[in-house]
Amino acid sequence: MDKIVFRILLLVVAVSLAGCATTTAKKNTMATFQWTSPTKRIVLVQPDIELSELDAGGVLEPRADWTETARGVINKGLRLHFTKSGAVVVDAQGSTAHEVQLIKLHGVVGQEILTHLYAAPQGTAAGNAPLPNKGTALDWTLGPGTNEMRDRYGADYALFVFVRDSYSSAARKALDVLTVIAGAALGVGIIPASGLQIGFASLVDLRTGNVVWYNRLLNGSGDLRDEKTSTGTVDELLKDLPI
Amino acid sequence: MNLVWRATAALATALIACTAIPVHAAGQLDVPPPVGYRPALNTAEGGLWAIMDKVEDQIKVSPALVTDEALNTYVHKVVCELAGEQCSSLRLYIVDDPDSNAMTAPNGMVIVWTGLLLRTQNEAELAFVLGHEITHYLKRHSVLNFEHATNAAGTVAFLSTATLGLAALPAALIAIGGIASYSRDQEREADEGGFKLVVGKGYDPRQGATFMANTAEEEDANPKRRKPSAYLSSHPATKERLATLTKRAGEIEAQTRNNLVATDEYRAAISPHRAAWLEEDFNRGDYLQSVAMVKQLVKAEPGSAELQYFLGEAYRRRNAKGDLESATAAYQAAIAAMDAPNAAYRGLGLAALKSGQKDVARGAFQKYLSLEPDAKDRAIVEYYLTTVGGTP
Amino acid sequence: MRWNTFFAAMLCVALSACATYTAVDPNKPVTIGDGVTVDAQVAWATTSSYQTGTVWTIDGLRLNSLRFLTGITPGNPMMTIPGLARKDMIPYSESMLPNDVMDLVTGTLAKGGFQQVRGDNLKPAPFGSVPGFRFDVSLTTEDGLLMKGTSLIAQRGGKLDVILFLAPAEYYYDRSLPTVERIFASVRVPATAAAKAPGA
């Protein structure tokens, strides 16, 4: 296996996911969802979205056109949500090296939350692979370095969105393939036969850097390639967002 | 095989097969992309550009991006001269990474790895490599591949640009540009095109062959290495390329008096960075290649104290049979030359310490500390001194 | 380190293939291996699922990791890395000076997929009752996140011990560094294990 970490062997899984279309939002129990200023400003970090097509051989092919459609849908849905709630959306510019590092740090934090609050250890029923020192609490932070963003944008919160979505090609659906599962440590990813949609939305309080709200989306009901059916996906993603 | 290219090639096939998306009007791929050209998003090429644009956004904010103005100005000058009227379509990014590589993307992004700048020894060599890559761009090879490729569904390994969203450099660059998916004919075409470009600008046409020979020699230093040189991997056999280039250079030599090598200008641009790039190369832990590469640099510049010092470091860290003696000789050569880096004494001390020569070690470490009273590594050198009965 | 971070998370979430984590008790000495004992100071979690040695974390392995690699024998690499063959790794040798051990660690991290790996601030430091060395590292992940680290090493009884702490430079490294320093200071080794004087 060469140094390119992104080299992924994709194998197909015939397992159907139990409990699909679940979203379970988590809140940091210490957080109070309040605004510093009467103008409620929220920074929207550019959503990290990728839609792919799963072909007959189990190969995941990124689709730029699908991704653009999904990006449009999600951006529109996010802004509509905040229009309704009365918050002003500001787009993050990523203009300083520090801000870029904060955004990259969030990429890691978001995945650790996914792993430790939503994932299940091997061989167990649905549950999670918790860190014993955290349990089921949403207790993660980017650190107070986020004050720089608070000052630059005049915003109290930042919202991050991450979506990976794959859809089977027609050829793929015709096959019925058995599973081989390999360990994550080998850089092997498994995509279910029907494709996999996974995403999260994460709300960071820029005054403290704490992740105060987090929601995972798994195999939602909408097709993000299609504007008409996909607005539901955004609603699921932002379900129970307290601001 | 370049994974992003394969992914996008597969994408193109799917798009073309399923949706009859417009590709190109006939004949448009015969000429370089006009300045200001941009494909529509719903074309196969548009999708490819979208991916490259995303990569470019990542590069712009990567900690690995080299922003040094003088270096960028110099390399950009060479790019521009070779690209001619296409210069304004190209955007140069120099990336701090020890791999030896350069690439162009169809959206006009030109990426040069510092590992390449470490290895090219003069402007003519750099121009040959850049001319080769610019030819790929001018001939639109990657776009052509993209549109003609078939989806090899049997092979499952590929790069998902999904991770490019999370990934910055340099790993993404290695993945994209490291192993180009150009066909052998396209590589030959790029060699010929690169050759013509450098000749047209008055560069010595033999320098390209020298660079390739050096690259091959460094490769051969560790035949068991798991990752081949990014630059050579999909290219036609090096021997064939060398033979072709040498023949072509011989043909040209009779007709012209091209002799531009610009070694001094090149060295002036590179020298402020070379020590850092050499350290970075050694930090990869591939000492067989590092020794071979530094030996080539020393051969071209035997009077350089800095290079002798780094040759000593390469031998010392490789530590194969006989290497400590070679390291010692190199450190001593550095010390004897003008402008010896003070660290050469430290290196001498380390080699002597490992060889059990306590007196030599003591003298060398003491000399080092006296020359560099503010040495950042004073603490460890003082420790070594105590083990050989010395005091700082 | 080398695993594809995104797919590891996806795998974990989608298909219940995650590592399990158990608590490390901060209230009593923890036996690591090869006679090394430390005090955890705060509540860490540990997992044995990733690569060799013992690894601790507080917020997740990519946010902080404290890895204990003890009793590395000559001829062997510092650790195993999935996807890398032994011949691609740098083996430990008894004749290594502390500088060489620092190069071994940074070289191993580079082979593991980190970028721009650098080591500095090498200096003597106690490894319990035997002489050891400290150094710091800086590196970048493949995703472009800047990371920092610090290490305590000892060449003890012909073998090598490495304790390595890594965390993002943004917030996480500085936050846990005082705790890591206390853990380093708490290292205890059996009295009979004689340290090998480097270079001797």
Side-chain angles (χ1 to χ4, degrees):
Chain A
M1 179 87 69
D2 71 7
K3 191 181 171 175
I4 301 171
V5 175
F6 311 114
R7 200 165 197 194
I8 302 155
L9 297 172
L10 290 173
L11 306 167
V12 178
V13 178
V15 171
S16 60
L17 294 171
C20 295
T22 53
T23 59
T24 341
K26 303 248 179 192
K27 274 196 271 210
N28 181 313
T29 52
M30 305 289 288
T32 57
F33 294 90
Q34 288 166 356
W35 303 86
T36 304
S37 71
T39 313
K40 304 190 271 184
R41 288 164 76 88
I42 177 165
V43 178
L44 185 62
V45 176
Q46 190 187 43
D48 186 350
I49 300 168
E50 185 77 34
L51 265 60
S52 307
E53 179 164 21
L54 187 64
D55 81 354
V59 179
L60 209 59
E61 301 172 4
R63 289 288 300 258
D65 51 343
W66 291 355
T67 299
E68 274 313 297
T69 304
R71 194 183 297 289
V73 163
I74 288 171
N75 265 306
K76 203 159 134 185
L78 290 173
R79 277 160 228 276
L80 187 62
H81 176 99
F82 290 114
T83 304
K84 287 186 192 157
S85 72
V88 172
V89 171
V90 179
D91 290 303
Q93 300 302 317
S95 38
T96 65
H98 183 221
E99 185 173 315
V100 168
Q101 285 296 306
L102 285 167
I103 294 170
K104 288 183 192 294
L105 178 62
H106 181 272
V108 177
V109 168
Q111 288 185 6
E112 292 291 359
I113 295 171
L114 202 62
T115 302
H116 294 296
L117 286 191
Y118 291 93
Q122 196 150 20
T124 66
N128 57 41
L131 294 167
N133 45 313
K134 286 195 196 291
T136 55
L138 179 66
D139 177 26
W140 272 269
T141 186
L142 303 187
T146 55
N147 276 307
E148 184 198 278
M149 286 175 73
R150 207 228 149 262
D151 294 339
R152 173 170 314 116
Y153 298 105
D156 290 323
Y157 293 98
L159 184 74
F160 295 79
V161 171
F162 173 97
V163 175
R164 293 291 183 268
D165 203 354
S166 63
Y167 297 87
S168 292
S169 64
R172 172 77 203 88
K173 285 183 176 119
L175 289 180
D176 183 35
V177 181
L178 293 175
T179 74
V180 176
I181 295 178
L186 292 176
V188 176
I190 287 106
I191 312 294
S194 56
L196 177 69
Q197 182 186 82
I198 186 165
F200 64 77
S202 160
L203 186 72
V204 173
D205 186 329
L206 293 175
R207 293 160 286 195
T208 57
N210 295 343
V211 179
V212 293
W213 177 89
Y214 185 99
N215 194 19
R216 181 216 55 187
L217 174 74
L218 188 66
N219 285 340
S221 51
D223 183 338
L224 284 168
R225 298 169 297 177
D226 178 357
E227 215 178 304
K228 296 188 215 65
T229 70
S230 57
T231 46
T233 306
V234 179
D235 291 338
E236 281 169 38
L237 202 54
L238 298 183
K239 190 167 154 222
D240 301 330
L241 183 65
I243 57 166
Chain B
M1 172 66 83
N2 178 278
L3 303 172
V4 165
W5 299 123
R6 268 156 71 104
T8 51
L11 156 59
T13 307
L15 286 173
I16 293 163
C18 302
T19 59
I21 282 174
V23 175
H24 276 286
Q28 280 183 7
L29 287 180
D30 295 344
V31 295
V35 174
Y37 165 77
R38 220 195 138 76
L41 187 64
N42 66 344
T43 61
E45 191 189 0
L48 176 55
W49 277 53
I51 292 168
M52 289 298 112
D53 287 347
K54 199 171 169 183
V55 173
E56 189 168 349
D57 287 341
Q58 290 291 318
I59 292 174
K60 284 178 184 166
V61 298
S62 168
L65 182 65
V66 175
T67 52
D68 181 275
E69 208 177 309
L71 186 65
N72 272 281
T73 302
Y74 176 72
V75 178
H76 187 254
K77 176 203 82 164
V78 181
V79 168
C80 251
E81 276 186 12
L82 295 165
E85 59 185 26
Q86 294 284 326
C87 168
S88 57
S89 297
L90 301 177
R91 301 172 299 284
L92 172 69
Y93 297 93
I94 301 177
V95 171
D96 185 8
D97 184 276
D99 272 356
S100 178
N101 203 4
M103 67 158 286
T104 53
N107 68 344
M109 180 174 56
V110 178
I111 309 169
V112 178
W113 277 245
T114 53
L116 175 75
L117 297 175
L118 175 61
R119 286 162 173 79
T120 44
Q121 295 182 9
N122 55 55
E123 192 172 303
E125 288 189 8
L126 177 63
F128 172 73
V129 175
L130 292 176
H132 173 108
E133 296 304 329
I134 289 168
T135 303
H136 279 310
Y137 171 80
L138 294 173
K139 300 280 184 192
R140 319 198 63 188
H141 286 162
S142 49
V143 181
L144 281 168
N145 292 346
F146 190 67
E147 297 182 350
H148 295 141
T150 54
N151 177 11
T155 41
V156 291
F158 85 103
L159 169 72
S160 166
T161 56
T163 49
L164 279 178
L166 292 173
L169 296 174
L173 293 183
I174 293 170
I176 306 157
I179 307 175
S181 67
Y182 304 120
S183 70
R184 298 228 153 165
D185 282 342
Q186 287 175 334
E187 294 292 12
R188 286 187 191 101
E189 197 176 16
D191 268 351
E192 176 63 20
F195 182 83
K196 285 199 178 115
L197 282 177
V198 302
V199 164
K201 293 292 164 195
Y203 288 111
D204 178 352
R206 294 164 298 178
Q207 296 303 316
T210 309
F211 171 73
M212 272 207 291
N214 282 341
T215 305
E217 189 183 53
E218 185 188 338
E219 289 269 286
D220 290 343
N222 184 6
K224 287 197 240 146
R225 76 186 292 184
R226 61 190 163 82
K227 184 165 86 80
S229 155
Y231 186 69
L232 279 189
S233 48
S234 81
H235 293 67
T238 309
K239 283 202 174 69
E240 181 206 316
R241 297 179 75 203
L242 273 172
T244 307
L245 276 179
T246 309
K247 174 164 158 279
R248 292 289 280 121
E251 287 165 7
I252 294 290
E253 209 174 337
Q255 303 156 25
T256 74
R257 296 228 204 100
N258 279 9
N259 57 5
L260 180 60
V261 178
T263 304
D264 290 341
E265 290 92 320
Y266 188 82
R267 284 184 187 163
I270 298 310
S271 63
H273 310 279
R274 191 167 61 181
W277 295 345
L278 282 164
E279 270 294 336
E280 218 177 319
D281 188 84
F282 296 172
N283 282 346
R284 296 203 281 182
D286 292 331
Y287 300 123
L288 289 170
Q289 288 97 266
S290 294
V291 167
M293 183 264 297
V294 179
K295 276 165 88 168
Q296 289 167 356
L297 295 180
V298 168
K299 189 167 154 195
E301 220 180 319
S304 163
E306 178 183 79
L307 287 176
Q308 288 289 352
Y309 162 68
F310 277 105
L311 183 62
E313 288 286 281
Y315 275 127
R316 178 180 68 76
R317 289 170 74 160
R318 187 175 78 173
N319 199 28
K321 200 163 141 78
D323 276 355
L324 279 183
E325 286 82 6
S326 302
T328 303
Y331 291 130
Q332 282 165 345
I335 287 163
M338 269 185 45
D339 296 328
N342 296 334
Y345 288 100
R346 180 192 63 207
L348 199 60
L350 290 171
L353 186 57
K354 287 190 84 158
S355 317
Q357 300 171 325
K358 293 192 175 179
D359 291 337
V360 177
R362 187 169 58 243
F365 285 136
Q366 279 167 341
K367 180 80 179 173
Y368 171 65
L369 289 180
S370 74
L371 290 171
E372 284 249 347
D374 298 325
K376 284 188 179 159
D377 54 357
R378 174 171 271 277
I380 192 66
V381 176
E382 284 181 357
Y383 166 78
Y384 288 138
L385 261 177
T386 63
T387 66
V388 289
T391 46
Chain C
M1 265 163 38
R2 257 184 57 92
W3 57 86
N4 178 284
T5 58
F6 159 60
F7 276 104
M10 253 182 67
L11 197 70
C12 205
V13 174
L15 293 164
S16 311
C18 312
T20 48
Y21 293 81
T22 52
V24 179
D25 186 349
N27 299 315
K28 53 187 222 268
V30 182
T31 305
I32 299 295
D34 290 276
V36 176
T37 315
V38 297
D39 299 323
Q41 311 296 328
V42 301
W44 295 77
T46 184
T47 179
S48 56
S49 301
Y50 292 107
Q51 302 165 355
T52 46
T54 299
V55 68
W56 294 359
T57 184
I58 296 171
D59 299 284
L61 288 170
R62 276 156 294 164
L63 294 174
N64 25 60
S65 71
L66 184 60
R67 186 173 300 273
F68 300 86
L69 301 157
T70 55
I72 300 158
T73 46
N76 284 311
M78 174 178 120
M79 58 193 289
T80 59
I81 295 178
L84 284 184
R86 272 181 61 96
K87 66 172 164 67
D88 300 321
M89 303 290 287
I90 306 168
Y92 172 62
S93 117
E94 256 186 283
S95 66
M96 278 185 167
L97 298 173
N99 273 84
D100 303 316
V101 176
M102 183 170 77
D103 291 343
L104 168 69
V105 173
T106 55
T108 302
L109 290 170
K111 286 174 187 297
F114 288 112
Q115 312 292 324
Q116 300 171 299
V117 186
R118 288 183 192 102
D120 58 21
N121 295 335
L122 179 64
K123 58 188 183 199
F127 191 92
S129 53
V130 304
F133 298 85
R134 284 284 303 276
F135 60 89
D136 299 327
V137 295
S138 65
L139 42 91
T140 310
T141 68
E142 277 152 334
D143 293 344
L145 180 66
L146 292 166
M147 308 256 308
K148 284 163 75 163
T150 191
S151 182
L152 176 65
I153 61 160
Q155 290 166 277
R156 192 172 55 99
K159 302 188 224 171
L160 174 66
D161 303 309
V162 177
I163 308 177
L164 176 65
F165 171 63
L166 291 175
E170 177 68 29
Y171 179 70
Y172 279 89
Y173 179 77
D174 289 335
R175 192 202 69 184
S176 294
L177 183 60
T179 303
V180 171
E181 296 280 3
R182 295 203 307 275
I183 293 173
F184 284 177
S186 78
V187 166
R188 294 183 289 294
V189 296
T192 50
K196 193 189 98 52

